[in-house]
Each structure stands twice: as C-alpha cells, then as structure tokens.
Amino acid sequence: MSKSGVSVSPECISTFNELKLGKGTIKYIIYKLSDDYKEIVVEETSADGDWEAFQSKLMSAKAGYKGKEGKGPRYAVYDFDYELEAGEGKRQVSVSMMGISLGPGTDLSPGAK
C-alpha cells in the first residue's frame, strides 16, 4: 500500500502482465479508483485497438462522491503497434497514461464540499 492509503488490486497486476507479455488478447486497460477510494481496480479491458473509442471512454468516464456524479479520473495502458520506415518491421510499445477530465466547477475529490 502506498502512503496515500490506496492499494492496487491483484487483478491490475495480472491484467497488465497479460498485456505486457503480448498474448494478443488485450490492446488496452482502463483502471479507476474503487467506489470507496481505497483501491485501484480494472474498469475495462479491450481487444479492440480503436484509438478513438479508447479516447472516448477516457473522456466520458464517470465517478461519484457523496451523492454527486461527474467526470472521473482514470489510469490507462494502451498497446500501440507501428511499422518502422524502410521495411524494418513492426514494433510494439505500451504507453501508460493518466487522465482527469473534470468539467468546470466540478470537484469530486474526497475533500470537496
């Protein structure tokens, strides 16, 4: 557990390892804070590598706190495939990112009033 008191679920680690080992079944993972704000959990995985769909899911993510709902923070890993120039072959890279998409005046943090 980190100093923040938030732990990482074992499913997060096993799902990331599955993506990292390149078994081909996962193109991205979206993580979120659990509803009790005590653990990072897997919200969704997908074998579909559609970048626009992935971005849309991150931007429309919802979270609730004290009866309010708004856009919520997410963590994600996306597995990119790309080709090198001059026919040098295909490569793969996993990119980790964090997204916080809060609307104007929306504060869903535990300390918000």
Side-chain angles (χ1 to χ4, degrees):
M1 184 177 301
S2 71
K3 289 182 181 182
S4 69
V6 176
S7 62
V8 177
S9 78
E11 181 189 14
C12 290
I13 297 166
S14 62
T15 305
F16 175 76
N17 285 334
E18 185 177 338
L19 180 141
K20 182 175 74 171
L21 294 174
K23 295 179 181 176
T25 58
I26 298 176
K27 291 304 285 180
Y28 65 81
I29 307 165
I30 298 176
Y31 304 99
K32 71 173 195 164
L33 284 171
S34 61
D35 292 338
D36 63 3
Y37 286 85
K38 293 185 178 185
E39 186 176 42
I40 298 173
V41 296
V42 173
E43 179 178 47
E44 181 177 346
T45 64
S46 179
D48 179 13
D50 182 351
W51 176 251
E52 285 77 24
F54 169 74
Q55 285 181 306
S56 176
K57 288 177 189 287
L58 285 181
M59 296 306 294
S60 63
K62 300 286 185 195
Y65 186 73
K66 292 187 177 180
K68 297 191 292 183
E69 186 176 287
K71 294 184 177 184
R74 294 296 184 268
Y75 310 92
V77 178
Y78 190 94
D79 202 26
F80 285 99
D81 294 321
Y82 63 96
E83 288 191 36
L84 296 174
E85 293 182 17
E88 295 179 34
K90 290 185 177 185
R91 298 291 189 267
Q92 191 175 46
V93 63
S94 296
V95 178
S96 299
M97 57 196 84
M98 183 177 130
I100 300 175
S101 176
L102 295 176
T106 304
D107 186 357
L108 296 175
S109 63
K113 294 182 181 183

